[in-house]
Amino acid sequence: EKRNCQEGTMMRLVSNFSPLRRLRIPALSTQKVSIAPALVKELRDVSGAPMMECKKALMAENVGGDINKALDWLRAKGIAKAKSSERVSAEGLIAVFSPLPTSNTQTATMVEVNSETDFIAMNKDFQLFVAVLCNTVHSSLPSISGAISIPEVLKLPPVWWNVESNTGIFKGKSHATVQDMLGDIVSSIRENIVIRRVENIATSAGSPQSRSLLSSYIHGKVGFDMVPPQIQLGRSAAVVELKVTSTEEAVSDASILHCNDMARKLAMHIVAAKPQYLTVTEVPVDVIERETAIFRKQALDDLKTKPQMVDKIVAGKVKKRISEICLLEQSHVAEENSPVVEKFLTAFSASSANLSHVGVNSYYLWSLGSSLQKENPSTSDTQS
């Protein structure tokens, strides 16, 4: 009996220190973050990384399901390239009213109208409504520069470019306001149509020797013969403002037309390359610190990297990354041999007769659901 009692005591002691019993200690337990499949898919769309890597990134330590932190985690591992995590799903059309290059008044108008489905963008009545809206704002509010409130726009009477253009579901109808016209198109298409944003882009006052020029490019262009050529419709758009300075008393119209062709290609580049800043000096400190942290983690994880070379490697990668997101530092994808934009503009100025300087004052980049506007704070009207 005494022996049996001793054996029972030993068994209890062993069970108390068994691995299973130790796993029940709260301090050693772990809880996994629950990640929704939709979030994994969204990260995959913006990063291009495999699904399992995206899930691993979202569940990583100090990430906690945050898509921005997960994207940084993937970049630090070398799994994903640098991309914007801002991804907005929207359908509809963007319209741009571009002024004539030689016009003394350089004001462009941009509008975005959203729909529920993508095929509505191919509907001619919808296209006509967006074009009339753009023309109305440009004609009725020429003195306003910047964003215009939607309630103010809805109160405006529609302005058509000619009587014959009043066709489709609008034919024979007289709409007192844009709001009435919007109600008509909603009833016809049977989808929720929303005017998301409206903006006028006006150039600063110049002089005969230094003129401003607005030029635009539309990607995913749609439209038909009824829409005038100055109004273009598509899924994304860029408007670029150039400052053209002459060596003579005044900038000629011929010089402006010469610059306009180049400016349109630059707008095309902006749509394709999607720069986030105009110059390096505009990049916020926190962006530089974030990129530095990512590249430092990459360098430290690479066993081939010598410790004394880490700082030099990181500095080089950060410089390259910053050049990829600044317009003037990017390689011009729409020009032969892809020169750096700033160097291309300098060469363009030098090779153009009677021009002393051609520079970028500002640019505007709109895509359905998102926008970007950048101005050059160092550029003045008297620049030469």
Side-chain angles (χ1 to χ4, degrees):
E1 291 179 3
K2 184 176 181 180
R3 181 178 178 182
N4 290 339
C5 181
Q6 289 175 345
E7 287 179 352
T9 302
M10 289 297 295
M11 289 296 291
R12 284 195 296 273
L13 288 172
V14 169
S15 64
N16 285 338
F17 290 96
S18 67
L20 291 176
R21 181 62 61 95
R22 286 199 299 272
L23 286 175
R24 295 192 188 101
I25 300 174
L28 298 179
S29 65
T30 58
Q31 270 191 334
K32 290 186 176 180
V33 179
S34 178
I35 303 298
L39 190 61
V40 178
K41 183 180 183 302
E42 185 178 354
L43 179 58
R44 183 183 185 279
D45 290 340
V46 299
S47 67
M51 291 287 281
M52 290 306 297
E53 295 295 339
C54 291
K55 185 175 182 180
K56 191 186 298 183
L58 289 165
M59 297 178 68
E61 186 179 0
N62 299 324
V63 173
D66 186 294
I67 194 166
N68 291 308
K69 292 179 180 179
L71 186 58
D72 288 349
W73 188 91
L74 288 170
R75 287 184 58 203
K77 297 292 183 181
I79 301 171
K81 293 183 178 180
K83 294 184 180 181
S84 171
S85 59
E86 179 187 1
R87 186 171 173 272
V88 183
S89 297
E91 303 299 341
L93 284 174
I94 290 171
V96 178
F97 188 114
S98 299
L100 295 173
T102 55
S103 172
N104 291 327
T105 304
Q106 289 288 296
T107 301
T109 300
M110 302 180 77
V111 303
E112 179 183 346
V113 182
N114 293 146
S115 60
E116 294 180 34
T117 55
D118 57 350
F119 65 86
I120 292 301
M122 304 307 295
N123 182 291
K124 289 188 176 181
D125 291 327
F126 179 71
Q127 293 174 8
L128 197 57
F129 169 73
V130 178
V132 171
L133 173 65
C134 191
N135 189 66
T136 299
V137 174
H138 189 83
S139 303
S140 303
L141 303 172
S143 61
I144 297 180
S145 180
I148 303 171
S149 70
I150 304 305
E152 185 175 2
V153 172
L154 292 172
K155 295 176 184 177
L156 296 173
V159 178
W160 295 78
W161 39 91
N162 56 49
V163 177
E164 291 77 17
S165 59
N166 193 333
T167 184
I169 64 169
F170 308 116
K171 188 173 183 178
K173 296 180 181 178
S174 178
H175 299 95
T177 63
V178 170
Q179 177 77 69
D180 296 338
M181 197 175 179
L182 176 61
D184 215 0
I185 192 71
V186 169
S187 298
S188 173
I189 295 178
R190 302 197 175 196
E191 273 198 15
N192 188 28
I193 306 297
V194 178
I195 302 174
R196 183 171 181 267
R197 51 185 165 162
V198 178
E199 184 161 355
N200 273 345
I201 302 168
T203 61
S204 54
S207 64
Q209 194 178 15
S210 183
R211 291 170 62 178
S212 294
L213 169 67
L214 289 174
S215 191
S216 64
Y217 173 77
I218 298 284
H219 181 68
K221 192 183 298 183
V222 299
F224 59 108
D225 294 342
M226 283 293 182
V227 179
Q230 277 186 277
I231 301 176
Q232 298 183 67
L233 311 171
R235 292 187 59 84
S236 56
V239 175
V240 61
E241 178 192 358
L242 296 185
K243 181 68 73 175
V244 182
T245 307
S246 176
T247 56
E248 299 183 342
E249 293 182 359
V251 180
S252 66
D253 286 350
S255 295
I256 289 293
L257 291 173
H258 175 57
C259 292
N260 186 59
D261 293 335
M262 180 272 288
R264 185 178 179 279
K265 281 189 176 182
L266 185 56
M268 187 187 301
H269 163 85
I270 292 169
V271 170
K274 296 178 176 56
Q276 299 175 32
Y277 307 94
L278 181 58
T279 64
V280 173
T281 56
E282 292 181 13
V283 182
V285 175
D286 61 324
V287 172
I288 297 175
E289 290 176 347
R290 177 187 173 191
E291 296 298 326
T292 302
I294 291 171
F295 290 124
R296 184 172 294 280
K297 181 72 166 60
Q298 285 182 1
L300 292 174
D301 287 348
D302 187 356
L303 298 178
K304 297 179 181 179
T305 303
K306 297 179 180 179
Q308 63 270 26
M309 295 296 292
V310 170
D311 289 341
K312 187 176 181 180
I313 291 172
V314 171
K317 288 189 173 183
V318 170
K319 183 179 179 180
K320 183 176 182 294
R321 172 58 184 157
I322 297 303
S323 70
E324 293 173 347
I325 60 177
C326 295
L327 174 60
L328 296 182
E329 301 297 322
Q330 290 180 330
S331 297
H332 200 321
V333 299
E335 291 292 346
E336 189 177 355
N337 299 325
S338 300
V340 174
V341 172
E342 189 169 29
K343 292 181 179 179
F344 168 78
L345 291 172
T346 301
F348 180 87
S349 303
S351 63
S352 301
N354 305 324
L355 294 182
S356 61
H357 180 81
V358 178
V360 180
N361 259 15
S362 62
Y363 74 88
Y364 298 74
L365 174 61
W366 281 23
S367 298
L368 286 172
S370 63
S371 67
L372 188 63
Q373 168 192 342
K374 292 296 170 184
E375 298 181 357
N376 190 348
S378 62
T379 305
S380 66
D381 295 336
T382 57
Q383 183 175 10
S384 59

